[in-house]
Amino acid sequence: MPEAEVSKLGVEVKATIMDREAVRRALFRIAHEIIEHNQGVDNLALVGIRRRGVPLAARLKEIIKEIEGRDVPMGILDITLYRDDLSSRLEQPLVRSTAVPFTLDEIKVILVDDVLYTGRTIRAALDALMDLGRPQSIQLAVLVDRGHRELPIRADYVGKNVPTSRREVVAVRLDEFDGEDAVVIEEYGVLGGEVS
Amino acid sequence: MASIKRKDILSLREMDLAEMELILDTAESLREIIDRPIKKVPTLRGKSIITFFHEASTRTRTSFEMAAKYMSADTASIAASTSALVKGESLKDTALTLQAMGADCIVMRHGVSGSCHFLSRLVDAKVINAGDGTHEHPTQGLLDMYTIRKHKGHLDGLKIVIVGDVLHSRVARSDIWGLTKAGAEVSIAGPATLLPEGMREVGVKSHIHLEEALPGADVVYVLRLQRERQSKGLLPSLREYARLYCVNARRLSLAKPDALLMHPGPMNRGVEISSEVADGAQSLIVEQVTSGVAVRMAILYLLLGGASE
């Protein structure tokens, strides 16, 4: 699940694939695509997946308000309880709260995450959303699609497609958590195992 | 990333503050599930939990079972009165039988203090103490801490008065261990015959006059008068107890104006607590029950959710 906690291990940054401006432009384009595709923002809601999907969803909400002059409801989804690897991890992930303070019934949900990789996070998020209600549709927006899917899942809105090898880590850095806006590719040295 | 370091939940005496806070924080995240239209998450799918109660219980056993079901675990419950124990089977043999059926976790209530520790050494399954004799009731202690923290925002520095039969109360013991570790200032009030000795050593002040204990209290915690454990003539009469120690509106008004009123249930209305305050604005008694489900969901997740070694 895309959260690069590995930079402490002396991981090497290979390339910066998006800088602040590129992230901003990608989010603007995605916002326009969402509005166009849904013919406005009626019955639309944004749901960010913890952690980095949350600030991305919040930014999309702001941009959509700028364009359409209307507020779109936004929720936060924690998918820990729906992970498929709980029983194989010795360290349990901390459960954080889910906050979707509106009904999802008959709503077009835009699920937002930073990186689409194996698709397992999205599978968990879909299950979590279905337990909260019956949305009319669920669409997926991601900042980066790096390939290597293990499940039949695709994104509807993509900031940037980035071909990667499994040895690489795509790290999305956002002001809210990391003090900068950028997307970088890191690679493990000899220490490396595979982390999503 | 965080895990709980132990196999079993047996007492708050042996648990450190960081572990208790992890449980309370996790409960805070899980609390929202109870209000959903579809109250189920798949986290503990395929785990089996057995509740094994040798004493009467409504809320604790049901609370554990609801918590387990909300997390998608499977549950079975055994009441001692309908089990093979009445045919003379020992606790040890019963425990090994439950384990042989594949129980991942046994939640036990028993009249003998220390029985859950005994059980935990016999079985590989996780053991949760749901009340053992007059020893401890750790999940009640944690749900009380959770409820107070939710209303006051913190526990450290709070003045908490526990009223009643502290001597026989496993709830009081767990509350005292948990709350004092979290930095609260705990005192107890009740008839001298129902207050245990040695409280000063754990930093707890004892009062035999309730009116002296209450001023400045942030929380008034009323214990159930355990009539089933009162055979030794420690009390002259229920009426005299009620006259001196029943928490009513007049007495509650001696505490801080925003003091919280709590009781672990089941209540003897008119004995240790009056109906007007039990159903009043300061009462958290019903909310404690909901907190109990959230805290037990957190404990089950933290004990059973991860990989086992």
Side-chain angles (χ1 to χ4, degrees), chain B residues 5-6 12-21 181:
Chain B
K5 288 173 284 189
R6 55 190 68 249
L12 295 192
R13 181 180 191 162
E14 57 197 15
M15 199 178 277
D16 62 41
L17 184 59
E19 281 177 285
M20 293 192 274
E21 283 177 341
K181 283 182 189 181

Side-chain angles (χ1 to χ4, degrees), chain A:
Chain A
M1 311 219 167
E3 197 157 317
E5 302 153 44
V6 280
S7 37
K8 294 154 206 145
L9 297 174
V11 183
E12 185 190 344
V13 173
K14 274 175 64 181
T16 299
I17 52 174
M18 291 175 94
D19 60 9
R20 180 176 296 276
E21 277 305 295
V23 171
R24 191 184 64 82
R25 285 188 206 110
L27 290 174
F28 258 86
R29 178 173 51 76
I30 290 172
H32 276 287
E33 285 175 0
I34 290 171
I35 297 163
E36 186 185 5
H37 183 257
N38 293 285
Q39 293 159 351
V41 294
D42 289 340
N43 297 329
L44 212 62
L46 293 157
V47 173
I49 301 176
R50 280 192 198 271
R51 270 176 66 191
R52 285 180 176 72
V54 176
L56 291 175
R59 291 184 195 188
L60 284 172
K61 177 184 162 83
E62 285 309 307
I63 299 169
I64 289 171
K65 191 176 178 184
E66 240 172 76
I67 301 168
E68 290 286 295
R70 282 176 61 189
D71 258 315
V72 173
M74 187 201 137
I76 295 171
L77 202 62
D78 182 278
I79 54 111
T80 310
L81 298 169
Y82 293 83
R83 294 176 72 118
D84 58 11
D85 58 354
L86 277 178
S87 59
S88 55
R89 297 167 62 108
L90 278 179
E91 277 285 295
Q92 262 173 299
L94 194 62
V95 188
R96 296 181 189 281
S97 60
T98 286
V100 181
F102 46 86
T103 175
L104 292 180
D105 294 350
E106 303 310 320
I107 294 290
K108 291 182 265 186
V109 175
I110 313 292
L111 194 58
V112 185
D113 204 2
D114 57 350
V115 179
L116 179 57
Y117 181 24
T118 61
R120 288 178 191 270
T121 301
I122 304 305
R123 195 283 309 161
L126 291 174
D127 280 354
L129 283 177
M130 294 303 185
D131 280 357
L132 294 174
R134 187 181 185 280
Q136 186 191 108
S137 65
I138 301 175
Q139 301 159 35
L140 176 61
V142 297
L143 190 58
V144 176
D145 182 347
R146 60 166 296 190
H148 302 290
R149 215 76 78 239
E150 293 168 5
L151 297 170
I153 279 168
R154 60 157 180 79
D156 300 272
Y157 312 99
V158 180
K160 193 176 178 72
N161 282 293
V162 183
T164 56
S165 85
R166 284 179 182 272
R167 292 184 56 78
E168 293 166 326
V169 174
V170 175
V172 171
R173 300 179 180 167
L174 297 174
D175 277 338
E176 290 86 340
F177 295 125
D178 317 292
E180 64 167 336
D181 272 0
V183 179
V184 299
I185 294 191
E186 298 167 338
E187 188 160 23
Y188 291 108
V190 272
L191 279 172
E194 198 175 300
V195 178
S196 58

Side-chain angles (χ1 to χ4, degrees), chain B residues 29 49 155 238 301:
Chain B
S29 298
I49 296 166
L155 294 170
L238 283 182
Y301 167 69

Side-chain angles (χ1 to χ4, degrees), chain B:
Chain B
M1 301 292 158
S3 298
I4 204 146
K5 288 173 284 189
R6 55 190 68 249
K7 170 169 109 52
D8 312 296
I9 304 285
L10 301 173
S11 74
L12 295 192
R13 181 180 191 162
E14 57 197 15
M15 199 178 277
D16 62 41
L17 184 59
E19 281 177 285
M20 293 192 274
E21 283 177 341
L22 172 63
I23 293 170
L24 303 188
D25 292 344
T26 304
E28 188 60 47
S29 298
L30 298 174
R31 167 68 184 78
E32 154 270 330
I33 294 168
I34 304 169
D35 295 329
R36 290 187 190 177
I38 304 166
K39 294 181 262 297
K40 208 163 200 72
V41 294
T43 318
L44 295 183
R45 206 173 43 169
K47 303 286 183 188
S48 54
I49 296 166
I50 293 181
T51 57
F52 185 27
F53 276 57
H54 295 249
E55 286 182 359
S57 166
T58 319
R59 73 207 72 227
T60 304
R61 202 187 71 208
T62 313
S63 175
F64 267 109
E65 287 178 10
M66 299 302 274
K69 288 177 201 292
Y70 293 160
M71 304 291 282
S72 296
D74 294 306
T75 60
S77 74
I78 303 165
S81 54
T82 56
S83 73
L85 289 157
V86 297
K87 297 180 187 168
E89 185 171 58
S90 71
L91 180 59
K92 178 177 175 174
D93 290 332
T94 308
L96 293 174
T97 303
L98 298 180
Q99 168 147 297
M101 291 177 191
D104 295 299
C105 177
I106 299 173
V107 179
M108 185 169 83
R109 169 169 290 185
H110 198 286
V112 176
S113 302
S115 49
C116 291
H117 283 80
F118 170 74
L119 187 75
S120 73
R121 287 190 292 270
L122 293 176
V123 296
D124 299 324
K126 326 256 179 196
V127 176
I128 299 176
N129 179 0
D132 60 331
T134 58
H135 174 233
E136 277 218 42
H137 190 350
T139 61
Q140 178 75 43
L142 289 163
L143 80 87
D144 290 334
M145 293 168 74
Y146 173 88
T147 310
I148 297 169
R149 198 180 75 163
K150 199 164 177 75
H151 281 263
K152 295 290 183 188
H154 63 99
L155 294 170
D156 56 298
L158 290 182
K159 197 174 165 196
I160 294 162
V161 181
I162 300 176
V163 185
D165 181 4
V166 181
L167 183 67
H168 295 102
S169 176
R170 53 196 176 209
V171 173
R173 264 168 204 74
S174 289
D175 275 342
I176 288 169
W177 285 116
L179 290 165
T180 53
K181 283 182 189 181
E185 186 193 318
V186 181
S187 55
I188 56 175
T193 49
L194 295 180
L195 297 182
E197 290 175 21
M199 295 310 287
R200 193 169 307 194
E201 285 89 280
V202 292
V204 172
K205 209 170 169 198
S206 303
H207 295 270
I208 51 168
H209 298 295
L210 180 54
E211 280 78 1
E212 288 172 9
L214 291 174
D218 296 290
V219 178
V220 179
Y221 196 102
V222 185
L223 297 172
R224 181 172 69 90
L225 188 69
Q226 305 198 24
R227 296 196 240 190
E228 73 275 20
R229 298 192 221 271
Q230 300 298 350
S231 53
K232 297 172 203 146
L234 295 171
L235 275 183
S237 72
L238 283 182
R239 180 188 283 196
E240 177 166 329
Y241 179 86
R243 193 169 59 76
L244 292 170
Y245 296 102
C246 179
V247 174
N248 52 27
R250 182 180 61 77
R251 290 189 170 123
L252 187 59
S253 72
L254 299 173
K256 283 191 184 162
D258 62 346
L260 307 173
L261 177 70
M262 299 171 71
H263 188 295
M267 286 186 276
N268 300 300
R269 288 175 184 256
V271 180
E272 72 264 5
I273 190 165
S274 76
S275 278
E276 56 178 336
V277 296
D279 304 326
Q282 287 166 272
S283 169
L284 297 181
I285 296 169
V286 176
E287 189 182 325
Q288 282 173 273
V289 178
T290 314
S291 302
V293 178
V295 164
R296 287 167 184 130
M297 286 166 78
I299 289 169
L300 293 174
Y301 167 69
L302 291 168
L303 281 188
L304 297 169
S308 43
E309 303 305 300

